[in-house]
PDB file of all heavy atoms in Angstrom:
ATOM      1  N   PRO A  10      33.792 -51.483  -2.607  1.00 97.00           N
ATOM      2  CA  PRO A  10      34.494 -52.631  -2.100  1.00 97.00           C
ATOM      3  C   PRO A  10      34.284 -53.864  -3.207  1.00 97.00           C
ATOM      4  O   PRO A  10      35.127 -54.757  -3.135  1.00 97.00           O
ATOM      5  CB  PRO A  10      33.791 -52.996  -0.784  1.00 97.00           C
ATOM      6  CG  PRO A  10      32.480 -52.350  -0.868  1.00 97.00           C
ATOM      7  CD  PRO A  10      32.825 -51.133  -1.714  1.00 97.00           C
ATOM      8  N   GLY A  11      33.285 -53.894  -4.007  1.00 97.00           N
ATOM      9  CA  GLY A  11      33.227 -54.916  -4.893  1.00 97.00           C
ATOM     10  C   GLY A  11      33.824 -54.761  -6.250  1.00 97.00           C
ATOM     11  O   GLY A  11      33.806 -55.729  -7.080  1.00 97.00           O
ATOM     12  N   ILE A  12      34.546 -53.682  -6.408  1.00 98.00           N
ATOM     13  CA  ILE A  12      35.077 -53.384  -7.777  1.00 98.00           C
ATOM     14  C   ILE A  12      36.509 -53.841  -7.681  1.00 98.00           C
ATOM     15  O   ILE A  12      37.248 -53.478  -6.843  1.00 98.00           O
ATOM     16  CB  ILE A  12      35.063 -51.915  -8.192  1.00 98.00           C
ATOM     17  CG1 ILE A  12      33.667 -51.516  -8.384  1.00 98.00           C
ATOM     18  CG2 ILE A  12      35.774 -51.597  -9.419  1.00 98.00           C
ATOM     19  CD1 ILE A  12      33.260 -50.031  -8.913  1.00 98.00           C
ATOM     20  N   ALA A  13      37.003 -54.550  -8.740  1.00 98.00           N
ATOM     21  CA  ALA A  13      38.383 -55.014  -8.838  1.00 98.00           C
ATOM     22  C   ALA A  13      39.360 -53.825  -8.920  1.00 98.00           C
ATOM     23  O   ALA A  13      38.984 -52.822  -9.368  1.00 98.00           O
ATOM     24  CB  ALA A  13      38.722 -55.916  -9.983  1.00 98.00           C
ATOM     25  N   VAL A  14      40.645 -54.029  -8.485  1.00 98.00           N
ATOM     26  CA  VAL A  14      41.662 -53.108  -8.561  1.00 98.00           C
ATOM     27  C   VAL A  14      42.865 -53.574  -9.121  1.00 98.00           C
ATOM     28  O   VAL A  14      43.224 -54.752  -8.914  1.00 98.00           O
ATOM     29  CB  VAL A  14      41.959 -52.466  -7.099  1.00 98.00           C
ATOM     30  CG1 VAL A  14      43.121 -51.648  -7.196  1.00 98.00           C
ATOM     31  CG2 VAL A  14      40.746 -51.942  -6.435  1.00 98.00           C
ATOM     32  N   ASN A  15      43.486 -52.812  -9.987  1.00 97.00           N
ATOM     33  CA  ASN A  15      44.874 -53.147 -10.600  1.00 97.00           C
ATOM     34  C   ASN A  15      45.799 -51.965 -10.284  1.00 97.00           C
ATOM     35  O   ASN A  15      45.681 -50.984 -11.028  1.00 97.00           O
ATOM     36  CB  ASN A  15      44.791 -53.371 -12.184  1.00 97.00           C
ATOM     37  CG  ASN A  15      46.072 -53.780 -12.819  1.00 97.00           C
ATOM     38  OD1 ASN A  15      47.001 -54.264 -12.051  1.00 97.00           O
ATOM     39  ND2 ASN A  15      46.097 -53.853 -14.125  1.00 97.00           N
ATOM     40  N   ALA A  16      46.451 -52.222  -9.256  1.00 95.00           N
ATOM     41  CA  ALA A  16      47.445 -51.070  -8.752  1.00 95.00           C
ATOM     42  C   ALA A  16      48.851 -51.384  -9.059  1.00 95.00           C
ATOM     43  O   ALA A  16      49.234 -52.501  -8.916  1.00 95.00           O
ATOM     44  CB  ALA A  16      47.167 -50.948  -7.208  1.00 95.00           C
ATOM     45  N   GLU A  17      49.663 -50.447  -9.340  1.00 90.00           N
ATOM     46  CA  GLU A  17      51.046 -50.493  -9.748  1.00 90.00           C
ATOM     47  C   GLU A  17      51.912 -51.237  -8.718  1.00 90.00           C
ATOM     48  O   GLU A  17      52.611 -52.114  -9.123  1.00 90.00           O
ATOM     49  CB  GLU A  17      51.721 -49.293 -10.095  1.00 90.00           C
ATOM     50  CG  GLU A  17      53.226 -49.479 -10.503  1.00 90.00           C
ATOM     51  CD  GLU A  17      53.829 -48.203 -11.077  1.00 90.00           C
ATOM     52  OE1 GLU A  17      53.339 -47.109 -10.986  1.00 90.00           O
ATOM     53  OE2 GLU A  17      54.981 -48.242 -11.711  1.00 90.00           O
ATOM     54  N   GLU A  18      51.833 -50.868  -7.496  1.00 88.00           N
ATOM     55  CA  GLU A  18      52.686 -51.541  -6.471  1.00 88.00           C
ATOM     56  C   GLU A  18      52.214 -52.830  -5.827  1.00 88.00           C
ATOM     57  O   GLU A  18      52.925 -53.657  -5.556  1.00 88.00           O
ATOM     58  CB  GLU A  18      52.950 -50.382  -5.259  1.00 88.00           C
ATOM     59  CG  GLU A  18      53.453 -49.041  -5.837  1.00 88.00           C
ATOM     60  CD  GLU A  18      54.798 -49.350  -6.710  1.00 88.00           C
ATOM     61  OE1 GLU A  18      55.478 -50.341  -6.492  1.00 88.00           O
ATOM     62  OE2 GLU A  18      54.974 -48.438  -7.572  1.00 88.00           O
ATOM     63  N   SER A  19      50.890 -52.919  -5.699  1.00 87.00           N
ATOM     64  CA  SER A  19      50.253 -54.035  -4.978  1.00 87.00           C
ATOM     65  C   SER A  19      49.622 -54.995  -5.806  1.00 87.00           C
ATOM     66  O   SER A  19      49.295 -56.181  -5.438  1.00 87.00           O
ATOM     67  CB  SER A  19      49.253 -53.537  -3.872  1.00 87.00           C
ATOM     68  OG  SER A  19      48.220 -52.864  -4.474  1.00 87.00           O
ATOM     69  N   GLY A  20      49.509 -54.744  -7.150  1.00 87.00           N
ATOM     70  CA  GLY A  20      49.035 -55.754  -8.051  1.00 87.00           C
ATOM     71  C   GLY A  20      47.497 -55.790  -8.082  1.00 87.00           C
ATOM     72  O   GLY A  20      46.911 -54.772  -7.911  1.00 87.00           O
ATOM     73  N   ARG A  21      46.949 -56.976  -8.556  1.00 90.00           N
ATOM     74  CA  ARG A  21      45.619 -57.036  -8.847  1.00 90.00           C
ATOM     75  C   ARG A  21      44.703 -57.517  -7.699  1.00 90.00           C
ATOM     76  O   ARG A  21      45.305 -58.493  -6.927  1.00 90.00           O
ATOM     77  CB  ARG A  21      45.296 -57.939 -10.016  1.00 90.00           C
ATOM     78  CG  ARG A  21      45.231 -57.095 -11.367  1.00 90.00           C
ATOM     79  CD  ARG A  21      44.544 -58.016 -12.399  1.00 90.00           C
ATOM     80  NE  ARG A  21      43.928 -57.196 -13.366  1.00 90.00           N
ATOM     81  CZ  ARG A  21      44.515 -56.901 -14.569  1.00 90.00           C
ATOM     82  NH1 ARG A  21      45.698 -57.518 -14.817  1.00 90.00           N
ATOM     83  NH2 ARG A  21      43.898 -56.268 -15.541  1.00 90.00           N
ATOM     84  N   ARG A  22      43.646 -57.019  -7.354  1.00 90.00           N
ATOM     85  CA  ARG A  22      42.693 -57.487  -6.332  1.00 90.00           C
ATOM     86  C   ARG A  22      41.358 -57.851  -7.123  1.00 90.00           C
ATOM     87  O   ARG A  22      40.861 -56.976  -7.678  1.00 90.00           O
ATOM     88  CB  ARG A  22      42.353 -56.473  -5.235  1.00 90.00           C
ATOM     89  CG  ARG A  22      41.539 -57.014  -4.185  1.00 90.00           C
ATOM     90  CD  ARG A  22      41.121 -55.864  -3.308  1.00 90.00           C
ATOM     91  NE  ARG A  22      40.026 -55.032  -4.014  1.00 90.00           N
ATOM     92  CZ  ARG A  22      39.576 -53.805  -3.619  1.00 90.00           C
ATOM     93  NH1 ARG A  22      40.223 -53.147  -2.625  1.00 90.00           N
ATOM     94  NH2 ARG A  22      38.756 -53.260  -4.275  1.00 90.00           N
ATOM     95  N   ALA A  23      40.949 -59.067  -7.013  1.00 90.00           N
ATOM     96  CA  ALA A  23      39.656 -59.431  -7.663  1.00 90.00           C
ATOM     97  C   ALA A  23      38.456 -58.701  -7.153  1.00 90.00           C
ATOM     98  O   ALA A  23      38.474 -58.264  -5.996  1.00 90.00           O
ATOM     99  CB  ALA A  23      39.511 -60.974  -7.600  1.00 90.00           C
ATOM    100  N   GLY A  24      37.450 -58.671  -8.072  1.00 92.00           N
ATOM    101  CA  GLY A  24      36.261 -58.105  -7.669  1.00 92.00           C
ATOM    102  C   GLY A  24      35.077 -58.608  -8.390  1.00 92.00           C
ATOM    103  O   GLY A  24      35.213 -59.851  -8.918  1.00 92.00           O
ATOM    104  N   GLU A  25      33.978 -57.999  -8.313  1.00 92.00           N
ATOM    105  CA  GLU A  25      32.689 -58.513  -8.833  1.00 92.00           C
ATOM    106  C   GLU A  25      32.343 -57.579 -10.123  1.00 92.00           C
ATOM    107  O   GLU A  25      32.581 -56.478 -10.027  1.00 92.00           O
ATOM    108  CB  GLU A  25      31.570 -58.508  -7.828  1.00 92.00           C
ATOM    109  CG  GLU A  25      31.856 -59.264  -6.599  1.00 92.00           C
ATOM    110  CD  GLU A  25      30.808 -58.802  -5.552  1.00 92.00           C
ATOM    111  OE1 GLU A  25      29.971 -58.039  -5.768  1.00 92.00           O
ATOM    112  OE2 GLU A  25      31.035 -59.340  -4.419  1.00 92.00           O
ATOM    113  N   GLY A  26      31.843 -58.404 -11.206  1.00 93.00           N
ATOM    114  CA  GLY A  26      31.520 -57.597 -12.286  1.00 93.00           C
ATOM    115  C   GLY A  26      32.653 -57.272 -13.265  1.00 93.00           C
ATOM    116  O   GLY A  26      33.660 -57.798 -13.186  1.00 93.00           O
ATOM    117  N   ASP A  27      32.354 -56.297 -14.168  1.00 97.00           N
ATOM    118  CA  ASP A  27      33.300 -56.009 -15.285  1.00 97.00           C
ATOM    119  C   ASP A  27      34.054 -54.646 -15.062  1.00 97.00           C
ATOM    120  O   ASP A  27      34.843 -54.381 -16.009  1.00 97.00           O
ATOM    121  CB  ASP A  27      32.510 -55.926 -16.575  1.00 97.00           C
ATOM    122  CG  ASP A  27      31.852 -57.163 -16.937  1.00 97.00           C
ATOM    123  OD1 ASP A  27      32.584 -58.281 -16.894  1.00 97.00           O
ATOM    124  OD2 ASP A  27      30.682 -57.169 -17.202  1.00 97.00           O
ATOM    125  N   LEU A  28      33.953 -53.950 -13.906  1.00 98.00           N
ATOM    126  CA  LEU A  28      34.687 -52.810 -13.661  1.00 98.00           C
ATOM    127  C   LEU A  28      35.949 -53.103 -12.903  1.00 98.00           C
ATOM    128  O   LEU A  28      36.002 -54.019 -12.299  1.00 98.00           O
ATOM    129  CB  LEU A  28      33.700 -51.905 -12.864  1.00 98.00           C
ATOM    130  CG  LEU A  28      32.513 -51.291 -13.456  1.00 98.00           C
ATOM    131  CD1 LEU A  28      31.624 -50.598 -12.374  1.00 98.00           C
ATOM    132  CD2 LEU A  28      32.850 -50.284 -14.588  1.00 98.00           C
ATOM    133  N   GLU A  29      36.925 -52.261 -13.277  1.00 98.00           N
ATOM    134  CA  GLU A  29      38.157 -52.435 -12.510  1.00 98.00           C
ATOM    135  C   GLU A  29      38.831 -51.022 -12.552  1.00 98.00           C
ATOM    136  O   GLU A  29      38.958 -50.188 -13.387  1.00 98.00           O
ATOM    137  CB  GLU A  29      39.093 -53.331 -13.279  1.00 98.00           C
ATOM    138  CG  GLU A  29      40.502 -53.517 -12.683  1.00 98.00           C
ATOM    139  CD  GLU A  29      41.369 -54.483 -13.351  1.00 98.00           C
ATOM    140  OE1 GLU A  29      41.864 -54.265 -14.450  1.00 98.00           O
ATOM    141  OE2 GLU A  29      41.632 -55.541 -12.796  1.00 98.00           O
ATOM    142  N   TRP A  30      39.357 -50.699 -11.259  1.00 98.00           N
ATOM    143  CA  TRP A  30      40.146 -49.477 -11.029  1.00 98.00           C
ATOM    144  C   TRP A  30      41.593 -49.744 -11.388  1.00 98.00           C
ATOM    145  O   TRP A  30      42.136 -50.804 -11.127  1.00 98.00           O
ATOM    146  CB  TRP A  30      40.132 -49.117  -9.567  1.00 98.00           C
ATOM    147  CG  TRP A  30      38.769 -48.601  -8.993  1.00 98.00           C
ATOM    148  CD1 TRP A  30      38.001 -49.356  -8.109  1.00 98.00           C
ATOM    149  CD2 TRP A  30      38.099 -47.412  -9.218  1.00 98.00           C
ATOM    150  NE1 TRP A  30      36.907 -48.661  -7.850  1.00 98.00           N
ATOM    151  CE2 TRP A  30      36.925 -47.401  -8.557  1.00 98.00           C
ATOM    152  CE3 TRP A  30      38.457 -46.361 -10.214  1.00 98.00           C
ATOM    153  CZ2 TRP A  30      36.009 -46.256  -8.563  1.00 98.00           C
ATOM    154  CZ3 TRP A  30      37.637 -45.278 -10.137  1.00 98.00           C
ATOM    155  CH2 TRP A  30      36.334 -45.303  -9.437  1.00 98.00           C
ATOM    156  N   CYS A  31      42.109 -48.783 -12.120  1.00 98.00           N
ATOM    157  CA  CYS A  31      43.561 -48.806 -12.457  1.00 98.00           C
ATOM    158  C   CYS A  31      44.333 -47.741 -11.734  1.00 98.00           C
ATOM    159  O   CYS A  31      43.952 -46.652 -11.937  1.00 98.00           O
ATOM    160  CB  CYS A  31      43.855 -48.740 -14.015  1.00 98.00           C
ATOM    161  SG  CYS A  31      43.080 -50.140 -14.892  1.00 98.00           S
ATOM    162  N   VAL A  32      45.186 -48.063 -10.883  1.00 98.00           N
ATOM    163  CA  VAL A  32      45.701 -47.035  -9.890  1.00 98.00           C
ATOM    164  C   VAL A  32      47.122 -46.821 -10.110  1.00 98.00           C
ATOM    165  O   VAL A  32      48.056 -48.009 -10.162  1.00 98.00           O
ATOM    166  CB  VAL A  32      45.483 -47.424  -8.558  1.00 98.00           C
ATOM    167  CG1 VAL A  32      46.175 -46.411  -7.595  1.00 98.00           C
ATOM    168  CG2 VAL A  32      43.925 -47.565  -8.122  1.00 98.00           C
ATOM    169  N   ASP A  33      47.789 -45.728 -10.468  1.00 97.00           N
ATOM    170  CA  ASP A  33      49.226 -45.399 -10.582  1.00 97.00           C
ATOM    171  C   ASP A  33      49.363 -44.328  -9.302  1.00 97.00           C
ATOM    172  O   ASP A  33      49.078 -43.135  -9.616  1.00 97.00           O
ATOM    173  CB  ASP A  33      49.660 -44.769 -11.659  1.00 97.00           C
ATOM    174  CG  ASP A  33      51.054 -44.692 -11.910  1.00 97.00           C
ATOM    175  OD1 ASP A  33      51.753 -44.682 -10.905  1.00 97.00           O
ATOM    176  OD2 ASP A  33      51.608 -44.566 -13.139  1.00 97.00           O
ATOM    177  N   PRO A  34      49.828 -44.726  -8.223  1.00 97.00           N
ATOM    178  CA  PRO A  34      49.851 -43.878  -7.110  1.00 97.00           C
ATOM    179  C   PRO A  34      50.770 -42.674  -7.222  1.00 97.00           C
ATOM    180  O   PRO A  34      50.691 -41.597  -6.824  1.00 97.00           O
ATOM    181  CB  PRO A  34      50.282 -44.746  -5.928  1.00 97.00           C
ATOM    182  CG  PRO A  34      51.053 -45.910  -6.635  1.00 97.00           C
ATOM    183  CD  PRO A  34      50.356 -46.145  -7.923  1.00 97.00           C
ATOM    184  N   LEU A  35      51.804 -42.956  -8.011  1.00 96.00           N
ATOM    185  CA  LEU A  35      52.777 -41.901  -8.305  1.00 96.00           C
ATOM    186  C   LEU A  35      53.406 -42.086  -9.674  1.00 96.00           C
ATOM    187  O   LEU A  35      54.369 -42.916 -10.004  1.00 96.00           O
ATOM    188  CB  LEU A  35      54.108 -42.049  -7.261  1.00 96.00           C
ATOM    189  CG  LEU A  35      55.343 -41.127  -7.491  1.00 96.00           C
ATOM    190  CD1 LEU A  35      54.818 -39.753  -7.771  1.00 96.00           C
ATOM    191  CD2 LEU A  35      56.159 -41.119  -6.356  1.00 96.00           C
ATOM    192  N   ASP A  36      52.656 -41.514 -10.635  1.00 96.00           N
ATOM    193  CA  ASP A  36      53.087 -41.575 -12.091  1.00 96.00           C
ATOM    194  C   ASP A  36      54.322 -40.520 -12.123  1.00 96.00           C
ATOM    195  O   ASP A  36      54.090 -39.268 -11.934  1.00 96.00           O
ATOM    196  CB  ASP A  36      51.909 -41.124 -13.010  1.00 96.00           C
ATOM    197  CG  ASP A  36      52.333 -41.109 -14.440  1.00 96.00           C
ATOM    198  OD1 ASP A  36      52.851 -42.099 -14.887  1.00 96.00           O
ATOM    199  OD2 ASP A  36      52.056 -40.034 -15.180  1.00 96.00           O
ATOM    200  N   GLY A  37      55.506 -40.893 -12.533  1.00 95.00           N
ATOM    201  CA  GLY A  37      56.588 -40.133 -12.544  1.00 95.00           C
ATOM    202  C   GLY A  37      57.502 -40.197 -11.372  1.00 95.00           C
ATOM    203  O   GLY A  37      58.066 -39.264 -10.818  1.00 95.00           O
ATOM    204  N   THR A  38      57.711 -41.419 -10.956  1.00 92.00           N
ATOM    205  CA  THR A  38      58.488 -41.683  -9.695  1.00 92.00           C
ATOM    206  C   THR A  38      59.854 -41.220  -9.805  1.00 92.00           C
ATOM    207  O   THR A  38      60.499 -40.691  -8.879  1.00 92.00           O
ATOM    208  CB  THR A  38      58.533 -43.299  -9.411  1.00 92.00           C
ATOM    209  OG1 THR A  38      57.225 -43.735  -9.136  1.00 92.00           O
ATOM    210  CG2 THR A  38      59.396 -43.505  -8.169  1.00 92.00           C
ATOM    211  N   THR A  39      60.547 -41.517 -10.977  1.00 91.00           N
ATOM    212  CA  THR A  39      61.901 -40.971 -11.331  1.00 91.00           C
ATOM    213  C   THR A  39      61.966 -39.464 -11.091  1.00 91.00           C
ATOM    214  O   THR A  39      62.913 -38.928 -10.558  1.00 91.00           O
ATOM    215  CB  THR A  39      62.423 -41.476 -12.580  1.00 91.00           C
ATOM    216  OG1 THR A  39      62.448 -42.899 -12.669  1.00 91.00           O
ATOM    217  CG2 THR A  39      63.908 -41.069 -12.759  1.00 91.00           C
ATOM    218  N   ASN A  40      61.000 -38.811 -11.667  1.00 94.00           N
ATOM    219  CA  ASN A  40      60.986 -37.314 -11.525  1.00 94.00           C
ATOM    220  C   ASN A  40      60.846 -36.891 -10.129  1.00 94.00           C
ATOM    221  O   ASN A  40      61.552 -36.017  -9.608  1.00 94.00           O
ATOM    222  CB  ASN A  40      59.570 -36.856 -12.225  1.00 94.00           C
ATOM    223  CG  ASN A  40      59.698 -36.929 -13.762  1.00 94.00           C
ATOM    224  OD1 ASN A  40      60.792 -37.140 -14.350  1.00 94.00           O
ATOM    225  ND2 ASN A  40      58.606 -36.772 -14.424  1.00 94.00           N
ATOM    226  N   TYR A  41      59.897 -37.575  -9.357  1.00 93.00           N
ATOM    227  CA  TYR A  41      59.812 -37.354  -7.921  1.00 93.00           C
ATOM    228  C   TYR A  41      60.993 -37.600  -7.114  1.00 93.00           C
ATOM    229  O   TYR A  41      61.391 -36.686  -6.296  1.00 93.00           O
ATOM    230  CB  TYR A  41      58.580 -38.264  -7.416  1.00 93.00           C
ATOM    231  CG  TYR A  41      58.146 -37.978  -6.108  1.00 93.00           C
ATOM    232  CD1 TYR A  41      56.978 -37.002  -5.865  1.00 93.00           C
ATOM    233  CD2 TYR A  41      58.522 -38.510  -4.880  1.00 93.00           C
ATOM    234  CE1 TYR A  41      56.487 -36.819  -4.615  1.00 93.00           C
ATOM    235  CE2 TYR A  41      58.161 -38.344  -3.674  1.00 93.00           C
ATOM    236  CZ  TYR A  41      57.147 -37.372  -3.553  1.00 93.00           C
ATOM    237  OH  TYR A  41      56.656 -37.039  -2.296  1.00 93.00           O
ATOM    238  N   ALA A  42      61.702 -38.638  -7.446  1.00 90.00           N
ATOM    239  CA  ALA A  42      62.802 -38.948  -6.622  1.00 90.00           C
ATOM    240  C   ALA A  42      64.033 -37.869  -6.874  1.00 90.00           C
ATOM    241  O   ALA A  42      64.831 -37.695  -6.106  1.00 90.00           O
ATOM    242  CB  ALA A  42      63.383 -40.306  -7.101  1.00 90.00           C
TER     243      ALA A  42
END
């Protein structure tokens, strides 16, 4: 819960410290569609 998140659809969520999750929930959306 304390680690920041940078997600493609919902954007950035601040956190504590220097770690950050980078989330691509669906890499290849056009392929998927």
Side-chain angles (χ1 to χ4, degrees):
I12 295 180
V14 176
N15 186 10
E17 180 175 12
E18 303 306 332
S19 58
R21 266 199 162 98
R22 185 193 73 194
E25 306 166 2
D27 298 310
L28 294 170
E29 181 176 67
W30 292 109
C31 293
V32 177
D33 192 340
L35 175 45
D36 179 51
T38 298
T39 302
N40 292 345
Y41 191 88

